[in-house]
Amino acid sequence: MRLDFGAIRENGNTLPECMVDFLNYLETIKGKSSNTIKGYKVDLTMFFRFLKLYKGIHKDDTMEFEEISINDIDNDFLRKIKLTDLYAFMSFLEKYRDNSAYARARKVATLRSFFKYLHVKAKILDENLALELEKPKIDKRNPAYLTLEESKKLLSVIDGPNQARDYCVITLFLNCGLRISELCSINISKIKGDILTIIGKGNKERTVYLNKACIKAIDNYLKVRNEYLDKIPPEHRDVLFLNKDKKGISKRSIEVMVKKYIGKAGLDMDKYTPHKLRHTAATLMYKHGNVDIRSLQQILGHENISTTQIYTHVDNERLREAVKSNPLSDEYEE
């Protein structure tokens, strides 16, 4: 369905037509997810607001940055943008918006995609100046994750009126490595024995295999859920995880719930999030399940194996033992 140009608003300001057409293109032609489209919209809105300030087009110093209107951005404006403007925007993000290298890299990707569209598809620009825009250097960091014992401790502290649901949620996180959006969108009709079919990142369908712990947790939760089946609105009856209003649970509710149990288990509430539980599942599979990197890539739904390779660097103890096992290890002579 084509996005309604008149209905797309950002704090009361209609978006420029070039942006609406680009977002429609992402949705209808490229098949991007709603979360991806939302991210591009936020990035480009910030970019155009910055340009109006940077180029002195916006004169009202009393107006908040988020209130700057961008609905007057037209093709003439786009043609006057230079590569130096893009670098100025990157500097603005780092110095005044305190964006991390990861956040700035995402905005570089947004600008590259947008200017490619303007050049190749919309034919508004004669060249794609964003081709020369480099991504900031990102230091590789090992993913934060729970140890096996910490994972068991987290499961042991789950209680309360929603115990069956919450235990099922965290069990799926720790065993399957689901993204939070994937978990929230699970439909009961998509569970067949030990096979769960989900819609992953980029609207791509993925098969997830359930182990005994997951199957048991789902069965126990469904028994509780079936007790109030008649109270669930028809449009939510196929959704697995429900909130107190018997409607599909939100990502925010999952985040709050996970944080509560992380704290109850005596773990760092600022360090561990639902996404870190996904890291935990991947790490435990790699460390204890002898899962090869290609299989792990499929399990996690990574498009590029380079994303999965971060998990090959987390087991320092395995590396230490490998070096110790070298047959020449004991051959040193005084």
Side-chain angles (χ1 to χ4, degrees):
M1 181 181 293
R2 182 175 168 83
L3 298 173
D4 182 0
F5 173 70
I8 300 177
R9 297 183 177 277
E10 180 72 23
N11 293 329
N13 295 318
T14 306
L15 300 180
E17 187 172 3
C18 63
M19 265 184 68
V20 176
D21 289 343
F22 174 61
L23 298 178
N24 274 317
Y25 169 75
L26 293 178
E27 180 188 38
T28 60
I29 305 301
K30 301 297 286 184
K32 298 294 185 181
S33 69
S34 58
N35 285 336
T36 298
I37 294 173
K38 182 179 179 181
Y40 277 50
K41 175 185 172 183
V42 170
D43 293 346
L44 290 174
T45 298
M46 182 180 293
F47 174 62
F48 284 131
R49 284 175 174 158
F50 162 78
L51 285 184
K52 292 190 71 172
L53 281 175
Y54 184 64
K55 292 177 174 293
I57 299 172
H58 178 75
K59 303 289 187 181
D60 188 354
D61 294 336
T62 64
M63 184 178 290
E64 294 292 331
F65 182 81
E66 285 71 20
E67 297 175 350
I68 297 175
S69 174
I70 60 172
N71 61 357
D72 56 346
I73 302 294
D74 56 17
N75 291 353
D76 287 337
F77 183 95
L78 296 173
R79 294 188 184 103
K80 293 176 182 177
I81 298 175
K82 300 177 181 178
L83 179 59
T84 53
D85 296 330
L86 304 189
Y87 284 124
F89 178 56
M90 290 296 111
S91 178
F92 164 77
L93 293 173
E94 181 178 12
K95 295 179 180 178
Y96 297 99
R97 304 294 290 195
D98 199 27
N99 275 200
S100 66
Y102 282 94
R104 284 180 278 125
R106 191 194 78 173
K107 290 178 174 64
V108 168
T110 296
L111 292 176
R112 283 180 177 177
S113 180
F114 180 59
F115 279 94
K116 179 181 179 181
Y117 165 81
L118 294 178
H119 171 51
V120 177
K121 300 298 180 181
K123 307 296 184 183
I124 294 173
L125 302 182
D126 294 331
E127 62 176 339
N128 177 6
L129 56 88
L131 281 175
E132 302 297 327
L133 184 62
E134 301 172 356
K135 285 187 177 181
K137 183 179 179 180
I138 298 176
D139 294 330
K140 292 184 177 181
R141 294 175 296 177
N142 289 342
Y145 62 93
L146 300 177
T147 65
L148 179 58
E149 291 306 314
E150 289 172 334
S151 300
K152 291 178 179 179
K153 179 67 180 296
L154 176 61
L155 289 168
S156 72
V157 300
I158 300 173
D159 59 8
N162 296 310
Q163 182 179 20
R165 183 201 68 185
D166 296 352
Y167 189 89
C168 187
V169 166
I170 293 182
T171 295
L172 289 179
F173 270 138
L174 291 174
N175 284 273
C176 301
L178 299 177
R179 299 180 176 93
I180 188 170
S181 58
E182 295 170 344
L183 185 134
C184 290
S185 63
I186 293 176
N187 287 330
I188 298 173
S189 61
K190 295 296 184 179
I191 304 173
K192 306 292 184 184
D194 67 342
I195 295 177
L196 165 64
T197 304
I198 60 172
I199 302 299
K201 193 172 182 180
N203 289 325
K204 294 180 180 178
E205 190 172 81
R206 184 164 100 252
T207 297
V208 175
Y209 294 97
L210 304 171
N211 59 23
K212 293 180 180 179
C214 293
I215 294 173
K216 184 176 180 180
I218 291 173
D219 287 343
N220 289 339
Y221 168 55
L222 287 178
K223 290 177 184 177
V224 175
R225 188 183 182 281
N226 288 338
E227 294 176 1
Y228 52 81
L229 191 61
D230 58 329
K231 297 180 181 179
I232 303 174
E235 64 270 24
H236 293 274
R237 285 183 184 167
D238 195 32
V239 179
L240 179 60
F241 295 114
L242 304 174
N243 60 20
K244 61 178 181 168
D245 297 321
K246 310 299 185 290
K247 297 180 180 179
I249 197 166
S250 68
K251 290 189 288 186
R252 179 57 184 161
S253 295
I254 294 289
E255 290 169 350
V256 171
M257 180 259 286
V258 169
K259 188 172 184 177
K260 178 183 73 173
Y261 290 123
I262 287 290
K264 195 168 183 179
L267 303 170
D268 189 338
M269 296 171 65
D270 294 323
K271 182 178 180 181
Y272 298 111
T273 63
H275 199 68
K276 297 303 185 292
L277 300 189
R278 172 173 159 85
H279 287 327
T280 297
T283 303
L284 293 180
M285 281 186 272
Y286 184 75
K287 290 179 67 174
H288 302 282
N290 294 318
V291 178
D292 65 85
I293 195 68
R294 287 291 180 183
S295 297
L296 193 59
Q297 178 189 9
Q298 290 188 323
I299 291 171
L300 297 174
H302 287 159
E303 184 173 352
N304 297 314
I305 198 167
S306 59
T307 308
T308 318
Q309 286 173 337
I310 61 173
Y311 299 105
T312 65
H313 304 296
V314 299
D315 196 359
N316 293 330
E317 191 58 37
R318 179 187 290 185
L319 298 178
R320 184 178 290 110
E321 291 303 317
V323 173
K324 288 181 179 178
S325 67
N326 189 308
L328 296 177
S329 176
D330 297 323
E331 295 300 315
Y332 176 76
E333 296 182 1
E334 293 291 345

